[in-house]
Amino acid sequence: MALTMLNGLLIKDLSPPMLLHQVSKTPQLDTFNFQSCFMQGVFAHFPEILFIHRTYNPRGKVLYTFLVDGPRVQLEGHLARVVYFAIPAKEDAEGLAQMFQVFKKFNPAWERVCTILVDPHFLPLPTLAMEFPTAEVLLSAFHICKFLQGKFYQLSLEQPVERVLLTSLQSTMCSATAGNLRKLYILLSNCIPPAQLPELHSHWLLNDRIWLAHRWRSRAESSHYFQSLEVTTRVLSQFFGTTPFEKQGMASLFRYMQQNSGDKASFNLCLSLPNNHAPSDASPESPKLEQVVESRIQHSLNAICTGPAAQLCLGELAVVQKSMHLIGSGSEKMNIQILEDTHKVQPQPPASCSCYFNQAFHLPCRHILAMLNARQQVLQPNMLPAQWTAGCATSLDGILGSKWSETLDKHLAVTLLTEEVGRLLQHCSQEEFERRYGTLRELADSWIGPYEQVQL
């Protein structure tokens, strides 16, 4: 494949400058590395902890995004901590070694990297250890949380059990003390069938070295940290993960960054990436009914939602537009499947879905949008929580900052646990009931007071 070699080329007519390497003349990028001067400066200031996130597109090409992390990093904006983008030629030892070497060549501060945070599926650890010999490689708390959430959904647990696990996981991630982590470990051991428990790698919860890199955050800071990373990874998936053409994905991502960053000049060159890969068989005729419906959904999202909310939902809609399957329907619920596991959608306002996106953000996910698309409907204001409605929130930070409520979280955790305990007691044998009741009786006496004062 013909490649334009731009190794170390400094674009002098742009301020600040930027770096580009090996950009091909086809819609696919064999190898791509990008760092603006602003990103380089951020890394030079905060090189101690490097967070690496990977995003795959439909062709299997992977975008490596490097972000700074740690107590000293106080940057607002969900892409402000990004310091490097790279697409390796191949995700093997040679391709990754080359990618890391390019990064090191233009970032002398790499020698000060002490910790590198990666996801559980990051296999080329020997290459990473060889290129950063003095750095400690750890699993990131965010990726472990995402991994466990995905497993909870895949295991098809009973809904009350799933709710208890998700609530406990959220609470533990926001206060990752050794005691809370051990409680979650015990809860997993009790709730997950023994044959499936090894899939969760619950021993990670007892690895204190992993959590020392995260434990310094307060509960509110942890909540904001996870929400910010969730938005960042959603943006990366929206622009790079939904298109098979790497250039189109990167150009869209850089346009977004240009529109949402003060460092706009550093992205100008990326907007000139060739865009001649658009399908040539596009029909000039009137749009089909599906296209009209999708356009109306987009319009309703932009009209009803705040800017950040619309951006998140449009990313979900992009997935729907490329692949959608409606599996079954009923009077109250519909089963939606989009190249993944099945989720349950509750159509009645406010619409809800069992997927993580809807549970975390309470926004219309790809499954709800697929339902609207299938029914030729649009988003209605009563399907959206008030905090995401246009005019009710001034910024994403305000929304994220207002989501956390310690009292509400405790109440939810206790309520879900109480419901589950009550359900189990109703369906067990008399002998088992007396044994479990006795255990609860002893616990209540030790916590609250003697039997005469406490009625279960």
Side-chain angles (χ1 to χ4, degrees), residues 144 147-148 151 188 196-205:
I144 290 178
F147 174 84
L148 290 176
K151 287 297 181 181
L188 294 180
Q196 297 173 315
L197 189 60
E199 299 177 24
L200 272 66
H201 297 278
S202 56
H203 59 276
W204 291 336
L205 300 172

Side-chain angles (χ1 to χ4, degrees), residues 53-64 91 119 121-122 236-237 240-243:
H53 180 74
R54 300 179 300 162
T55 308
Y56 288 87
N57 75 355
R59 283 204 323 127
K61 292 289 282 187
V62 58
L63 171 66
Y64 276 72
E91 203 177 14
D119 64 84
H121 301 292
F122 194 95
L236 295 172
S237 297
F240 183 83
T242 59
T243 174

